[in-house]
Amino acid sequence: MAALPEEIAPLIDEMRAAPDWRTVTLGRREYALGTLRGLPCVMTLARVGKVAAATTATAMIHQFGVDAIIFTGVAGGVARQVRVGDIVIADALMQHDLDASPLFPRFEVPLLGVSRFGTDDSLSDALAVAAASFVRAQATQLVQRYRGVIDDMPRVHRGLVVSGDRFIADHAAREAVLAAAPDALAVEMEGAALAQVCHEYDVRCAVVRTISDVADAHAAVSFSTFLAEVASAYSSGVLQRFLAQHRVQQ
């Protein structure tokens, strides 16, 4: 799953080359079904936001019987050590804009008793290996090719990613996110909703995000530039390695 076309288009194009490729339209979304790197897959655009992600994840589980979901795309970096061009693998996800207090503790999902949802260790480990391999193979080329967008050698991080239905694009909003979750590495708009659905249905999930901006006043411009020029290279590069590794393990 991804939120925007640029984040997943090369993978869908690759799937279209498979003889068993087909599409199913459901809930105003087009799901691509077929084989990718030798593995049966379903791919779709969730679109932007937590409701969109939850709706799409539920359809993936109920309509297509998936046993694992990976969300890929871009995010804003909020930790000081996270820079544009870095990759973040989520070990946990939380909704930074969820607050049902005083009825429930802030950030806790009512009636679930959970505020942070973990990802699947084996999937996240495999994504981290794939991301590190991608960085080793492509980092120098990426910095040279996208100079001015990526200024430092990319790095791979693992930790907390927070989600909310707001694009974080100013200093005050960024600091508010960090005040809510001081250990957050990145902020985006879908991952925690996906993780909640997978938690409730006992389906494995993982989230891999490329840092497109640092959630400041320049975020909108940085995001748009990164999305148009770089995002697909990262998503396809990491996931192609992940799928090849996953096929070998099977």
Side-chain angles (χ1 to χ4, degrees):
M1 288 170 53
L4 297 166
E6 293 87 349
E7 297 167 330
I8 205 171
L11 293 172
I12 292 180
D13 289 342
E14 183 177 339
M15 180 181 279
R16 284 176 176 156
D20 61 344
W21 176 79
R22 64 190 177 95
T23 62
V24 174
T25 300
L26 183 69
R28 301 189 181 184
R29 288 165 177 77
E30 187 175 86
Y31 295 81
L33 287 74
T35 302
L36 190 62
R37 301 289 165 126
L39 294 171
C41 293
V42 183
M43 283 195 290
T44 192
L45 293 176
R47 301 201 292 262
V48 177
K50 293 187 295 182
V51 172
T55 298
T56 309
T58 303
M60 294 277 268
I61 294 166
H62 281 288
Q63 297 295 324
F64 304 107
V66 300
D67 61 5
I69 300 177
I70 294 174
F71 204 109
T72 184
V74 297
V78 292
R80 287 188 177 88
Q81 69 271 26
V82 176
R83 305 171 300 199
V84 172
D86 286 358
I87 299 172
V88 174
I89 313 293
D91 284 338
L93 296 118
M94 184 188 84
Q95 297 181 54
H96 68 81
D97 58 352
L98 176 59
D99 187 354
S101 61
L103 301 178
F104 300 90
R106 188 183 179 193
F107 310 124
E108 183 179 297
V109 178
L111 306 183
L112 276 185
V114 178
S115 58
R116 297 187 178 195
F117 295 90
T119 56
D120 181 77
D121 289 340
S122 62
L123 291 177
S124 297
D125 289 345
L127 282 172
V129 170
S133 172
F134 171 76
V135 167
R136 285 194 302 270
Q138 300 293 327
T140 301
Q141 179 182 345
L142 287 167
V143 172
Q144 292 174 346
R145 182 177 181 183
Y146 300 113
R147 193 172 301 280
V149 178
I150 302 173
D151 295 322
D152 298 297
M153 297 298 283
R155 297 177 297 176
V156 179
H157 309 267
R158 291 183 67 166
L160 177 66
V161 173
V162 296
S163 310
D165 283 317
R166 178 184 179 186
F167 184 75
I168 304 300
D170 63 69
H171 179 76
R174 181 175 179 273
E175 290 304 306
V177 168
L178 282 173
D183 54 335
L185 297 177
V187 60
E188 36 90 302
M189 299 179 68
E190 296 86 21
L194 163 71
Q196 180 179 333
V197 170
C198 289
H199 171 83
E200 295 196 42
Y201 286 102
D202 295 317
V203 170
R204 299 180 300 148
C205 74
V207 174
V208 53
R209 294 288 189 172
T210 305
I211 301 303
S212 60
D213 58 84
V214 290
D216 59 7
H218 305 289
V221 174
S222 179
F223 171 86
S224 299
T225 302
F226 194 95
L227 185 66
E229 298 183 9
V230 191
S232 63
Y234 268 83
S235 289
S236 59
V238 172
L239 287 179
Q240 284 166 357
R241 286 167 170 79
F242 167 82
L243 290 167
Q245 172 185 316
H246 197 66
R247 182 180 60 189
V248 170
Q249 290 176 344
Q250 286 191 331

